[in-house]
Structures are given as structure tokens and as C-alpha cells.
Amino acid sequence: MKRIDLFLNEREVEKVCKAMLMAGASGYSVMRHVTGMGVGGEISEAMDFSSFGANAHVIVFIEASLLEGIREAVKPLLRRYGGVGFVSAAEAF
């Protein structure tokens, strides 16, 4: 099993999640108003009220066989709108 962690602007969450579902993901979790420091600089809660918007963290657990299809569906959206994604191994308990 694989875990996908995506960090992107909240405004693009619906597009990205729809693309993942169409590529075979059966579900996802979204945490909104994510703050912190990354390669693009600091993301703070004050940005919620600016034209930049806030970030979201999308977590998806999938079978490894779906990874490439989901990657192909999501990567162009992250490039276009900004965002990063990470893949790691996951084990259910």
C-alpha cells in the first residue's frame, strides 16, 4: 500500500481530488488551513484573508498498482497551480 501526501492551495483541492478519484483512488482526507515553512517560504494563517489563500494537506492511501495513474493525473495540476506531493510506503494495522 502507498500513502500520498499533497500540499496545495485550498482553491485547487476539488480539482486534484476529482482527478485522483477518476484515476482510481477510493477516497482521501483533506486538512485545510495548513501552515508552516516550505521551499516557497512561510505559509501563515494571515494568508487566509489575502488573495493567496491558504494551503491544504490531502492524504490518500492506495494500492501500489494505482500509483502511476494517480501521479499522471495529479502532477500536471500541481505544476499548473502549484503544490508538492510525496509518496511513502504504508502498512495497515
Side-chain angles (χ1 to χ4, degrees):
M1 181 163 275
K2 297 292 184 180
R3 173 180 169 154
I4 302 171
D5 289 274
L6 303 172
F7 297 90
L8 61 148
N9 191 288
E10 282 188 336
R11 293 177 293 195
E12 314 310 332
V13 167
E14 186 177 328
K15 291 177 191 129
V16 169
C17 290
K18 183 177 180 180
M20 287 190 300
L21 291 174
M22 291 179 66
S26 60
Y28 53 84
S29 296
V30 177
M31 292 179 278
R32 297 180 183 275
H33 306 288
V34 176
T35 62
M37 177 69 79
V39 295
E42 184 177 9
I43 302 295
S44 69
E45 289 187 25
M47 296 178 93
D48 285 351
F49 306 105
S50 71
S51 61
F52 295 110
N55 274 356
H57 179 189
V58 179
I59 304 170
V60 184
F61 293 95
I62 57 164
E63 294 300 325
S65 61
L66 296 173
L67 179 60
E68 287 309 311
I70 291 174
R71 182 179 282 159
E72 288 176 18
V74 171
K75 203 169 186 180
L77 294 171
L78 294 180
R79 279 194 197 125
R80 180 174 182 179
Y81 299 112
V84 295
F86 302 92
V87 177
S88 57
E91 183 179 322
F93 63 91

